[in-house]
Amino acid sequence: MQTEPIISLRDLTMEYPGKRVLDGISLDVFRGQIIGYIGPNGAGKSTTLKILLGLIQDYKGTVEIFGNDLRNEDQDVKRRIGYVPENAEIYDTLTPMEYLTFVGELYGMKRAAVEHKAKQLMTELGLEDVLHTRISSFSKGMKQKVLIISSLLHDPDILFLDEPLSGLDANSVMVVKDILAMLAASGKTIFYSSHIMDVVEKISNRIVLLYNGKIAADGSFDELKGQGEAGSLEMLFNQLTGFNEHQQTARRFVELVTGGETDG
Amino acid sequence: MDNFRSLRVMDVFKGLFQAFGIDYPSMRTIVGLKLTMDERRIPVVFSQTKLKEGNQFLKSLGLYVLYGLATIPFLFFGDSVMLQMGIVFGIAMFMIMTSLIADFSSVLLDVRDRILLAAVPVDDRTLNAAKLVHVSIYMTLIALSLLGIPSIVILVSKGISFFLLFLVMMIFLMLLIIALTAITYMVMLRVFDGERLKDMINYVQILLSVGVFVGYQVLMRSFEFVGLTISYEFSWWHFLIPPLWFAAPFEWLLGGNTSKPLIVLSIAAFIIPIFAIWMYIRKMPLFERDLQKLMSETRGGKQKHAVMMKFWERVLCRNSEERASFRFSWQLMKRERDFKLKVYPSLGIGFVAPFLFLYIFLSDGTWEDMITSNMYFMIYFGFLIIGPLAVMLSYSSKFKGAWIYAVAPITSVSRVKRAALKASLAQLFLPVYLLQAVIFTVFFGWRIVPDLVVVLFSAVLYAVICYAIGAKGTFPFSLPMGESVQSGTAKQIILMLLIGVFVGVHILMSKIPYGTPIYLVVIVVGCLVGWKVLLPIKRKTAYM
């Protein structure tokens, strides 16, 4: 069933002055996959996403989306991509309605159609009464919902998400998780990076672990589990990133807090 | 953190604070921390110049010294002590109060205190005292720089008793200003929600910038009246002008004028500040509670019927991408406070300047002379709006949201930029220009209409040149606001000189027969070519 890859990275290398962030990454992503892209802070997750989106261009290697080399800058490719950035970066002096119509129109939708769709989507996520309120007064979770809607307005085929669940309450997390699962089932490809291992473990059907600019592990959770003796993704993560002293670190920390009065 | 001189001065009053039940060491730590943070903040008066290291506020004090020097002539203005001191206290009150609102709203309205310090075992009384002390330190510094030199002049020219009375009155004036500002905020917090309050503060900040410009010009003019003998006569409405309260004791105690109204005014100068500050301290807990509004999320809100936006959008934009960007830019400019703070002062100055220079002309010549002259070229001073506007268009306090430009399938970068520039001109420059043009036509008659059309097209050409120089190929609203001050000044001067070129050519052309119609054609063509060359519409080739 897996024929042509939707996203294809070949020897992707990215260097900032004095630091190699990505060191020859090769990866094929296929239709309908939910890729959980994990790794320690600074491993290059966001950099990879930014390259895929065309936000960073001075990379080495090749990146193809829908068989098009990114360097050709095909606007039709962009039209089929949706993106949720990390840290809820948004022009928050606007109202959701104003922002969403702007984004929708940039993606070539008719204004009336965007307005209608935005209103319905906002209503579904419980935001119908803040449609015309400035985003700056929103909580982080509400902002995140607006961004998720803005990434899906134009019905993209690929979705890039950077920590999409941060700030959402437990119920909203469940809704968004189900949305992602259903989108993938309907043939969309989802590529998302996160630190929250429990969620990655539950909703990804393929996990890619980035460590020191290289892919340290790639496969479904079950496959990865077979490789080591870890019982959870969290433990696997620790094992693969060579971090096994969390207990020692924790103990030293607590001793410093209490002035060395722990019993062990 | 301990090396603040003001803290050491505060230590002198340690006993006094403790007598009020304030935890002095905690308060000292809090105030010290706040002073440290202030070193990383830029005051409004300084916003047009460069971003530098150190406490910008302390550096801006130099400006207040200059303003203070301007008050000295008034000390010798006419024969009436009441008028002299009334004007001096009036200027001091305006300067201190506006700077308090402009630069210290963030202190008075700081809600982070609540979140960060509420969990720490520090009681409310100490916290509030810290806030009051923090503001007072700066007020004292402003007052000292503003009135330091004038008070020495007073000491030398008017004697020791006048000087001492002046010092006492200044202290009471400052008490009144702090209390008045805080009470104004209390009332505004009661009436408006958080967003509206921030808007109001924004307008005061803008008023300050315009007020300084206009006030300076008017002050220069009023030197001509020096030498006139005006004696003071009381009217009932003087009770409504606080600076006169503070001037009254001089007339009463030193001038020997014991008329009843004067004594009442003098008493007001002592009683009202004390009453106001007592009110403030008493109502402070209420104030703190209302402050929570600033953080709260407001629900609801209605869709605005932006008639002007829809009109111009239809007139000026050709395709949906341009229309979307036009609306987006229009809405952002309407909302973003930092943008307004940087642009609106020049809006006020650009509107006032042409009339101010006409007024200056009138003080030498007659009205008939003026309306038959070519003084209508003064309307070019309205171009002062365009430079800052076009340059600031690339900046936003939420510049990180600009990822959307790179991610969205935009077919032409120039179209997005054109839309932003068109929106800025239609929203901010055009209304000012049209109003000026109408008034000028009333003054000078129909003969100037062709010239006004030339000016309009020159403005459109000038705007695109300013934008091309200012934007450096970036998307609108995509650079951090703080950076805007770094590159500003030199560029703004070049852009201002460019206005001179436009004026010069226009005046030359108006001197030759059929010059104006010919120039009109030239400038319209120049406009079309300028926009085509500087913002060419082609398939997107570069991202950011």
Side-chain angles (χ1 to χ4, degrees), chain A residues 55 57 73 75 78 83 85 89 91-94 98 102 105 107 111 129 132-134 137 142 147, chain B residues 195 297-300 303 313 324 327-328 331-332 335 398 400 403 406-407 409-410 477 541 543:
Chain A
L55 293 167
Q57 289 176 307
E73 292 173 9
Q75 297 301 324
K78 289 191 166 187
Y83 173 53
E89 311 286 10
Y91 286 110
D92 65 6
T93 42
L94 300 180
E98 289 164 352
F102 170 63
E105 279 190 282
Y107 279 93
R111 184 178 302 161
D129 53 347
H132 305 297
T133 309
R134 290 183 197 188
S137 66
M142 289 161 79
L147 280 164
Chain B
E195 291 292 316
E297 45 183 80
T298 31
R299 293 233 156 199
Q303 192 158 21
E313 178 196 345
R327 288 162 67 97
F328 172 72
Q331 286 155 345
L332 265 190
R335 305 277 168 71
K398 292 287 165 193
K400 282 186 175 165
W403 57 266
V407 172
I410 291 169
F477 312 110
T541 53
Y543 290 81

Side-chain angles (χ1 to χ4, degrees), chain B residues 153-203:
Chain B
V153 173
I154 286 174
L155 181 63
V156 171
S157 66
K158 311 219 170 194
I160 184 87
S161 52
F162 199 102
F163 172 74
L164 288 176
L165 186 58
F166 183 69
L167 286 190
V168 174
M169 293 329 291
M170 267 324 290
I171 292 169
F172 278 90
L173 181 67
M174 273 167 46
L175 286 179
L176 181 72
I177 290 171
I178 295 183
L180 214 59
T181 311
I183 290 171
T184 313
Y185 279 146
M186 279 186 208
V187 174
M188 290 207 294
L189 273 174
R190 285 260 118 153
V191 180
F192 303 116
D193 61 16
E195 291 292 316
R196 286 283 291 285
L197 180 71
K198 287 182 204 155
D199 279 342
M200 303 281 281
I201 293 166
N202 203 214
Y203 290 128

Side-chain angles (χ1 to χ4, degrees), chain B residues 303-321:
Chain B
Q303 192 158 21
K304 299 251 164 56
H305 296 282
V307 184
M308 292 308 282
M309 180 179 84
K310 283 178 187 154
F311 172 75
W312 288 117
E313 178 196 345
R314 229 163 262 158
V315 173
L316 297 174
C317 298
R318 303 226 188 92
N319 73 359
S320 73
E321 187 170 275

Side-chain angles (χ1 to χ4, degrees), chain B residues 348-365:
Chain B
I349 291 168
F351 178 73
V352 174
F355 298 107
L356 204 65
F357 290 111
L358 287 189
Y359 173 73
I360 290 171
F361 177 86
L362 276 180
S363 62
D364 295 327

Side-chain angles (χ1 to χ4, degrees), chain B residues 215-382:
Chain B
Y216 176 74
Q217 298 293 339
V218 171
L219 217 66
M220 298 312 279
R221 293 289 97 200
S222 61
F223 279 127
E224 290 165 16
F225 301 115
V226 176
L228 280 180
T229 313
I230 315 163
S231 67
Y232 174 72
E233 265 173 65
F234 178 79
S235 309
W236 64 268
W237 51 267
H238 289 176
F239 281 114
L240 302 178
I241 304 176
L244 287 180
W245 307 342
F246 297 96
F250 292 90
E251 184 92 12
W252 174 37
L253 297 174
L254 301 176
N257 185 343
T258 51
S259 68
K260 237 184 218 137
L262 215 53
I263 294 172
V264 177
L265 280 175
S266 302
I267 291 169
F270 291 98
I271 301 286
I272 293 178
I274 289 173
F275 177 73
I277 207 87
W278 175 75
M279 276 282 286
Y280 172 56
I281 290 169
R282 225 175 64 99
K283 294 282 180 193
M284 215 157 182
L286 207 68
F287 182 44
E288 297 287 319
R289 199 164 350 113
D290 281 348
L291 272 184
Q292 303 296 323
K293 268 192 185 176
L294 288 178
M295 295 190 294
S296 66
E297 45 183 80
T298 31
R299 293 233 156 199
K302 270 183 244 141
Q303 192 158 21
K304 299 251 164 56
H305 296 282
V307 184
M308 292 308 282
M309 180 179 84
K310 283 178 187 154
F311 172 75
W312 288 117
E313 178 196 345
R314 229 163 262 158
V315 173
L316 297 174
C317 298
R318 303 226 188 92
N319 73 359
S320 73
E321 187 170 275
E322 196 171 4
R323 273 195 292 273
S325 308
F326 185 92
R327 288 162 67 97
F328 172 72
S329 309
W330 183 287
Q331 286 155 345
L332 265 190
M333 285 186 293
K334 268 244 138 89
R335 305 277 168 71
E336 206 171 284
R337 293 192 187 90
D338 286 332
F339 182 84
K340 287 189 198 171
L341 194 54
K342 293 262 155 63
V343 170
Y344 280 25
S346 72
L347 213 61
I349 291 168
F351 178 73
V352 174
F355 298 107
L356 204 65
F357 290 111
L358 287 189
Y359 173 73
I360 290 171
F361 177 86
L362 276 180
S363 62
D364 295 327
T366 65
W367 179 260
E368 276 67 35
D369 284 348
M370 190 189 84
I371 59 172
T372 52
S373 71
N374 61 1
M375 282 299 285
Y376 57 83
F377 281 111
M378 288 296 172
I379 202 167
Y380 270 105
F381 275 104

Side-chain angles (χ1 to χ4, degrees), chain A residues 207 216-230 236 239-240:
Chain A
I207 293 166
D218 180 0
S220 72
F221 178 55
D222 290 330
E223 285 167 17
L224 293 186
K225 241 187 347 190
Q227 288 176 9
E229 58 270 35
L236 186 74
Q239 195 184 319
L240 289 170

Side-chain angles (χ1 to χ4, degrees), chain A residues 196-232:
Chain A
I196 310 166
M197 295 302 147
D198 303 357
V199 179
V200 176
E201 185 181 323
K202 284 202 190 86
I203 71 172
S204 317
N205 50 29
R206 180 175 165 196
I207 293 166
V208 175
L209 193 149
L210 200 61
Y211 181 56
N212 275 347
K214 290 195 166 75
I215 293 177
D218 180 0
S220 72
F221 178 55
D222 290 330
E223 285 167 17
L224 293 186
K225 241 187 347 190
Q227 288 176 9
E229 58 270 35
S232 73

